Amino acid sequence: MLKMGIAGLGKMGQIRAAEIAKSKTSELKAVFDINPNASVGSAVECRTFDELLEQDIDAVFISTYNYCAAEYTIQALKRGKHVFCEKPPAINVAQLQKVVEAEQQTGLVLKYGLNHRFHYSVMEAKKRIDRNDLGRILWMRGVYGKAGSIDYDKNWRNYKQYSGGGILIDQGLHMLDLMLHFSGKPFTKVNSFVTTLFWNIEAEDNAFAIMQTDDQVTAMLHSSATQWRHKFLLEICCENGYINLDGILSSTRSYAPEKLVIGYREFEDVTHAMGKPREETIWFEYDDSWKLELADFEQAIQQKTSVTHGSSREAMEALALVEKIYERSSMSE
């Protein structure tokens, strides 16, 4: 059994603890949280992160504030612990580069929580794109929006000293990671508007970006905290049709239902009205992304292999794109 520790018992820490409890390969041995009353089952409750690292554990899950994620990851790696860190991997690229150096020096497993890649709809879409079912990708358009909440302006994620930014680095990073995942190439040209339109917060509540790869795959992103109705939609237009990832399952199911729509371009042999092509819709009822992420982490440790998704390289690409969107924002001029 792999002996696990968790730093941070907020929402994500609780999710990770629940998955470890169901695993036949891992057990939770110790936890640390700034709330002294936070605990999970029989796990040892540590008063500091250093005390957590002193425990007899093989790996640690870091589910803390963004600003200390990189520092904790480096400390854990240098103490001989494998690390699973939630996204974002750091608050900037410079921080993350120091993590990568520690990873390379220690040779330990480092995985980041890019769980959207483990959703069944995403995996099916990736399989179809890799098979070249619809030809090459022409463009992508993604919307990831949340309604906020009555106390959204008080959430720690909207204080830059803790989070590094607002809705873009918090939620938009997931959509950017998927765009990178499907395109397979970096976006080298970026224009953006990053702004605060409604909430009384110092971080952004909306980010608009248009990006392009060197071979002219263009992607448009809208990451929003003023959607009022939770929304996830990623449209991928290809030469011979399109793939739409519409909805994504979560613990609250507020972005549900999750479905994959595949449409087939019709020009010559039009069997339906022009502009209403034949479509295939696949519905998904289960979200096993948390379980699959844990299994990927466990396997990489036990078999001394690389993680399937959530590598430091992938995390770096997503964070670098977030940083570029912030830097290129016309609203900062």
Side-chain angles (χ1 to χ4, degrees), residues 218-237:
T218 302
M220 291 180 286
L221 165 77
H222 181 200
S223 177
S224 178
T226 61
Q227 186 71 36
W228 306 144
R229 178 176 180 174
H230 287 182
K231 183 180 182 68
F232 175 92
L233 175 64
L234 175 55
E235 301 169 291
I236 306 170
C237 185

Side-chain angles (χ1 to χ4, degrees), residues 26-58:
S26 299
E27 57 183 337
L28 184 59
K29 301 295 289 185
V31 298
F32 159 64
D33 192 273
I34 56 175
N35 177 1
N37 298 317
S39 63
V40 176
S42 60
V44 174
E45 298 175 40
C46 301
R47 292 167 296 179
T48 64
F49 184 65
D50 190 63
E51 183 182 347
L52 176 65
L53 296 181
E54 290 173 354
Q55 304 302 308
D56 180 22
I57 56 176
D58 301 301

Side-chain angles (χ1 to χ4, degrees), residues 127-319:
K127 182 169 65 177
R128 304 237 178 171
I129 289 170
D130 287 349
R131 272 195 331 229
N132 202 34
D133 287 2
L134 298 172
R136 67 181 176 89
I137 295 175
L138 302 178
W139 55 262
M140 292 181 278
R141 182 168 54 211
V143 177
Y144 209 163
K146 62 167 57 176
S149 62
I150 194 169
D151 59 348
Y152 184 75
D153 57 328
K154 298 177 178 63
N155 191 294
W156 67 266
R157 291 178 176 83
N158 295 311
Y159 291 87
K160 291 183 179 180
Q161 67 266 37
Y162 298 121
S163 64
I167 192 67
L168 176 64
I169 196 171
D170 176 44
Q171 191 178 60
L173 185 144
H174 274 306
M175 183 65 79
L176 293 172
D177 175 63
L178 291 182
M179 289 174 166
L180 289 163
H181 183 46
F182 289 123
S183 71
K185 296 179 181 178
F187 294 98
T188 54
K189 300 175 184 177
V190 175
N191 285 302
S192 62
F193 290 89
V194 179
T195 186
T196 306
L197 299 173
F198 176 82
W199 294 103
N200 184 26
I201 55 177
E202 62 175 3
E204 78 281 354
D205 61 16
N206 277 270
F208 306 83
I210 183 164
M211 307 160 289
Q212 194 174 72
T213 66
D214 285 341
D215 57 355
Q216 295 189 319
V217 174
T218 302
M220 291 180 286
L221 165 77
H222 181 200
S223 177
S224 178
T226 61
Q227 186 71 36
W228 306 144
R229 178 176 180 174
H230 287 182
K231 183 180 182 68
F232 175 92
L233 175 64
L234 175 55
E235 301 169 291
I236 306 170
C237 185
C238 304
E239 292 175 299
N240 301 313
Y242 53 85
I243 297 176
N244 293 345
L245 291 127
D246 190 350
I248 199 155
L249 294 169
S250 64
S251 57
T252 63
R253 298 189 72 86
S254 58
Y255 295 89
E258 181 174 323
K259 64 181 178 180
L260 190 66
V261 179
I262 301 101
Y264 301 88
R265 175 178 63 81
E266 295 180 344
F267 279 172
E268 294 80 14
D269 181 20
V270 179
T271 55
H272 301 275
M274 181 64 73
K276 295 183 179 179
R278 176 171 54 93
E279 289 187 338
E280 171 189 359
T281 301
I282 307 172
W283 298 85
F284 299 88
E285 298 295 335
Y286 301 99
D287 171 22
D288 290 328
S289 61
W290 312 119
K291 178 179 74 174
L292 295 174
E293 275 195 309
L294 175 59
D296 186 42
F297 186 48
E298 293 169 334
Q299 179 176 294
I301 295 172
Q302 293 171 325
Q303 299 184 10
K304 296 181 171 61
T305 59
S306 300
V307 296
T308 304
H309 298 297
S311 68
S312 60
R313 176 186 60 80
E314 292 163 342
M316 178 67 81
E317 290 174 350
L319 185 61

